[in-house]
Amino acid sequence: MRFRNLLEIDFFLLVSALVLVIVGVLFIYSSGMTPAGVMVSNEYRRQLAWAAAGLVLVFTLVLFNYRRAYDLALYFYLGTLALLLYILVMGLTGRPSRWIRIAGFAFQISEFAKITTILFLAWFLDITKRNHRTFIRFLVSCAIVMLPMLLILIQPDLGTALVFIPILLGMMFIAGIPLRYIFFLGATVFFAGFFLLLPLWQTHIMNNMYPALMMLANTRFVLLFCLAMVTIGLIGWFGFSRYHKGYFFWICYAAGIFTFSMGLSYAASKVLRGYQVMRLIVFLDPNIDPRGSGWHIIQSITAIGSGGISGMGYLQGTQSQFHFLPEQSTDFIFAILCEEWGFLGGTFVFSLFLLIILRLIRIMRITIDSFGANIVAGLASMYAFHFFINVGMTMGIMPVTGIPLTFVSYGGSALISAMAGIGLALSIYVRRYQHSSGYGNSLF
């Protein structure tokens, strides 16, 4: 790869990401301003430094052949697993943290684990693309993603852990994993969330109007339900094996979904911390705890609504400058943006994210290297999930999970990992017509 080939990068993708970073710095600056015009935070300066480092990383990754990661993907993956285990061990010894400090800098390893997991899963899906044992391929793919996901969930960091699910689904879809497996996983996660929310809705919103729903939180009922579903599934499997009728297969399939989803929802109800459960409750109705957990959502919706069509003007937002909105430079920065730039500003940010996703989809379609296409599929899924969950969270249509708005929210690790993803996508784009064979170990 020669320097003159930098002119071949996808400038639409690069510029969209850089504009989002600039918008982020502007509103991180705004979040630190008081009504008197006094700056009480230097977060915007740090974000500028991280943005500069991220830009250097982007061009470094463009210059070097992304195929180099093919041979190193396993080591990257194992390295981040080791660091996540280290964080877990340190937490058990009395110093819980999501960050590792090196030379005075704090790094959130879970952000980089998303990139290394994408690389390793892309490698695995590429080397097994001619393997006809698709079920084994599906199970191993799930295991690759679940290992870092569980370690991050234990920290606890539910928001970041959830990001791994759409990454897995998107990459398996592009890699040709049968849709019935992908739908099985997606439906299991959906119904697990549904079964988890129902008892909370019954208790806190409906005031025990439907007491039968509380059985979903009863250990004996869950065990009996799962046992019944397993029995039905075995009967379906026996019928399919003996008579080869399609409806027996789908009976077994549905029973499996409900068995795993019920078990997963029950496990989640026992594992989630009190504040995480409260976030789910206030998602259903923020006014349950308007001065506590519901405060974030109420103030965020107020800020977005007060912006109207064109906003109150840059640095003129009352919710941000009076600091009514918690975490306003990180999780709820979109609310500040909409307050000051209004619906038009929100649409502008939405358009930039849409352009990024569309350009990534285009790269997926035109690259002839399946390893590169798998990587881009994971990146597109990650960016899209971050956007929809974060924006939905600020509007009150998604639970508060602590997922930042990629490129915009304050945070060095999140920004560096997001820019690394852009660098990888651009590196794949400039080599989109090169086949994997014959240059796997080439640096350029």
Side-chain angles (χ1 to χ4, degrees):
M1 179 67 187
R2 296 180 174 85
F3 285 95
R4 62 180 177 83
N5 287 335
L6 286 174
L7 298 176
E8 298 179 9
I9 65 175
D10 187 334
F11 284 99
F12 289 103
L13 177 61
L14 177 62
V15 171
S16 297
L18 291 180
V19 172
L20 283 172
V21 171
I22 293 170
V23 169
V25 173
L26 289 175
F27 283 95
I28 292 170
Y29 179 87
S30 176
S31 71
M33 186 72 70
T34 67
V38 178
M39 178 58 60
V40 294
S41 171
N42 65 349
E43 288 180 342
Y44 73 97
R45 295 180 180 175
R46 296 178 183 176
Q47 192 76 353
L48 275 172
W50 290 325
L55 187 60
V56 172
L57 179 60
V58 166
F59 287 111
T60 301
L61 289 172
V62 173
L63 288 173
F64 286 87
N65 194 330
Y66 74 94
R67 289 288 306 184
R68 187 67 174 173
Y70 196 89
D71 301 321
L72 301 175
L74 174 62
Y75 303 105
F76 289 147
Y77 177 76
L78 293 177
T80 51
L81 284 184
L83 291 174
L84 290 172
L85 281 170
Y86 171 78
I87 292 174
L88 178 60
V89 171
M90 295 303 293
L92 294 175
T93 58
R95 296 194 300 169
S97 176
R98 298 175 186 175
W99 290 267
I100 287 181
R101 295 190 175 275
I102 302 175
F105 295 95
F107 299 93
Q108 191 172 1
I109 301 302
S110 57
E111 293 292 339
F112 301 103
K114 292 182 288 190
I115 301 297
T116 58
T117 301
I118 287 173
L119 289 174
F120 183 54
L121 182 57
W123 172 83
F124 171 76
L125 291 172
D126 182 63
I127 65 169
T128 59
K129 61 186 176 183
R130 294 182 179 86
N131 189 341
H132 297 293
R133 302 178 67 182
T134 54
F135 183 66
I136 300 299
R137 195 174 179 227
F138 167 73
L139 289 180
V140 175
S141 297
C142 290
I144 289 172
V145 170
M146 293 305 166
L147 278 175
M149 182 179 172
L150 289 175
L151 291 175
I152 294 168
L153 189 60
I154 295 172
Q155 291 184 359
D157 189 353
L158 176 62
T160 303
L162 290 176
V163 178
F164 286 81
I165 296 175
I167 288 174
L168 173 62
L169 294 175
M171 294 182 69
M172 288 195 301
F173 176 76
I174 294 300
I177 298 291
L179 287 177
R180 62 182 181 274
Y181 297 143
I182 299 174
F183 181 82
F184 183 92
L185 180 59
T188 298
V189 173
F190 172 80
F191 281 109
F194 182 70
F195 291 146
L196 177 64
L197 286 175
L198 275 180
L200 300 176
W201 175 76
Q202 143 70 10
T203 302
H204 299 278
I205 309 299
M206 301 308 296
N207 296 318
N208 298 313
M209 185 178 297
Y210 306 104
L213 293 177
M214 293 308 298
M215 289 192 299
L216 295 174
N218 182 277
T219 303
R220 180 174 297 179
F221 172 79
V222 171
L223 287 175
L224 289 174
F225 179 87
C226 290
L227 181 61
M229 288 295 105
V230 169
T231 303
I232 292 172
L234 290 174
I235 293 172
W237 183 255
F238 174 79
F240 179 72
S241 300
R242 185 176 180 86
Y243 302 106
H244 303 285
K245 300 293 185 180
Y247 55 82
F248 281 114
F249 172 81
W250 293 113
I251 289 173
C252 180
Y253 187 86
I257 290 176
F258 285 111
T259 301
F260 283 105
S261 59
M262 181 62 76
L264 186 59
S265 68
Y266 180 78
S269 68
K270 301 301 181 184
V271 171
L272 291 179
R273 308 291 179 91
Y275 73 92
Q276 293 172 326
V277 173
M278 198 62 200
R279 285 179 174 180
L280 294 175
I281 294 170
V282 298
F283 159 65
L284 298 172
D285 184 2
N287 293 308
I288 291 292
D289 187 17
R291 297 290 184 180
S293 299
W295 178 264
H296 297 69
I297 298 177
I298 293 171
Q299 296 303 316
S300 177
I301 294 174
T302 301
I304 292 173
S306 64
I309 296 297
S310 58
M312 302 176 69
Y314 182 60
L315 301 180
Q316 303 301 314
T318 55
Q319 293 292 109
S320 61
Q321 294 198 7
F322 283 99
H323 294 271
F324 291 141
L325 188 61
E327 310 296 337
Q328 58 186 19
S329 65
T330 53
D331 298 347
F332 290 90
I333 196 167
F334 186 76
I336 298 177
L337 186 148
C338 289
E339 182 186 29
E340 298 187 3
W341 281 2
F343 175 78
L344 296 177
T347 302
F348 175 66
V349 170
F350 173 81
S351 300
L352 290 173
F353 272 102
L354 179 61
L355 183 58
I356 288 175
I357 301 303
L358 291 176
R359 300 306 293 184
L360 291 175
I361 291 174
R362 181 174 180 268
I363 294 174
M364 266 189 288
R365 294 183 62 184
I366 65 176
T367 183
I368 62 174
D369 177 23
S370 59
F371 175 62
N374 293 337
I375 292 174
V376 178
L379 294 173
S381 302
M382 179 180 73
Y383 294 143
F385 185 78
H386 267 269
F387 174 78
F388 286 114
I389 296 298
N390 180 273
V391 172
M393 179 179 72
T394 61
M395 293 180 175
I397 59 176
M398 290 290 179
V400 176
T401 56
I403 292 180
L405 185 58
T406 310
F407 304 112
V408 181
S409 293
Y410 171 75
S413 297
L415 181 58
I416 293 296
S417 65
M419 296 299 281
I422 294 296
L424 282 171
L426 293 175
S427 179
I428 293 166
Y429 178 76
V430 298
R431 299 170 180 86
R432 57 195 179 277
Y433 300 128
Q434 297 181 25
H435 193 268
S436 59
S437 61
Y439 76 107
N441 294 321
S442 173
L443 275 174
F444 298 98

